Amino acid sequence: MITRTRSSAGPHRASLDALAVPEAVRPALERYLDLLAAWSARVNLTGAATPAARVALLVGDVLPAAPLLRPGRLVDVGSGNGSPGLVLALLRPELPVALLEPRQRRWAFLREACRAAGRPDVEVRRQRHDQYDGPRAATLTIRALDLPLAALAPLVEEGGRLLVFGRPRAEAPGWRAEAAPAGLQAFRRESVSRET
């Protein structure tokens, strides 16, 4: 196994160091970001063109969410470039993770990125949210998708959490807003009452 020394660190290392990303996770994040940069020349995966911009957008914005993940399955809808789903999978390797991405080239990228980053166990499904038939998520994540909360409810177990990166959403029936760091919204899926 080849390990990089400080002097041979890749283009993303200094920015990851500045974020205080745990040392054990940095090599996996570097492999993911290096692959993303290479694929972005052929597939539109991100508008972040420099290593610093990729780290800030794809990792820095996701770091505050890692402690909010509930024990159990993480499902990321519209995984595209791997952030937040794959980044969270690398930050929390104990969690089972499924990434949903219906577009062929992005799906192929995610499969390769999971292997390259050392998480070949991450399930990468070529599906939309309304096609998902796997186990419900303890935590569901979305970024840059304009899906109503009601459409996401079937994917989340009762008491599970939805983390929304990007445009703020209004609270909806069946969901309760929770405190979250800036740039992130958290919702708890409420229990469904059953009348007898």
Side-chain angles (χ1 to χ4, degrees):
M1 178 164 99
I2 299 172
T3 54
R4 292 178 173 162
T5 62
R6 196 81 158 123
S7 61
S8 66
H12 298 98
R13 184 56 180 235
S15 297
L16 288 170
D17 288 347
L19 283 179
V21 172
E23 181 63 38
V25 179
R26 289 178 197 168
L29 286 169
E30 283 184 274
R31 289 190 300 271
Y32 153 65
L33 292 165
D34 290 347
L35 188 66
L36 177 77
W39 275 63
S40 287
R42 299 185 317 267
V43 180
N44 181 20
L45 294 171
T46 180
T50 66
R54 281 189 289 275
V55 169
L57 177 66
L58 304 174
V59 179
D61 288 355
V62 175
L63 277 174
L68 301 178
L69 300 181
R70 294 178 42 80
R73 188 171 187 81
L74 167 65
V75 176
D76 182 50
V77 175
S79 298
N81 62 23
S83 179
L86 178 54
V87 172
L88 289 169
L90 298 175
L91 293 169
R92 297 285 303 275
E94 78 281 7
L95 296 179
V97 177
L99 307 177
L100 308 184
E101 176 52 58
R103 293 168 288 188
Q104 171 72 33
R105 287 198 243 174
R106 292 177 183 220
W107 171 80
F109 164 74
L110 289 167
R111 289 180 46 144
E112 181 61 28
C114 289
R115 284 191 291 272
R119 283 295 311 261
D121 60 309
V122 169
E123 189 178 352
V124 182
R125 291 177 169 229
R126 193 168 168 220
Q127 295 178 321
R128 292 170 34 95
H129 71 285
D130 54 1
Q131 299 168 321
Y132 179 68
D133 59 356
R136 288 185 175 198
T139 307
L140 184 79
T141 56
I142 64 169
R143 179 182 218 157
L145 291 177
D146 195 18
L147 295 172
L149 298 186
L152 300 170
L155 284 74
V156 183
E157 63 189 30
E158 289 183 16
R161 182 171 284 148
L162 167 64
L163 299 177
V164 179
F165 295 79
R167 188 181 62 78
R169 308 294 170 92
E171 217 172 297
W175 296 95
R176 186 179 75 244
E178 298 183 316
L184 181 66
Q185 274 187 295
F187 296 92
R188 172 83 56 162
R189 183 160 182 246
E190 296 179 328
S191 298
V192 178
S193 61
R194 292 177 174 83
E195 294 181 11
T196 55

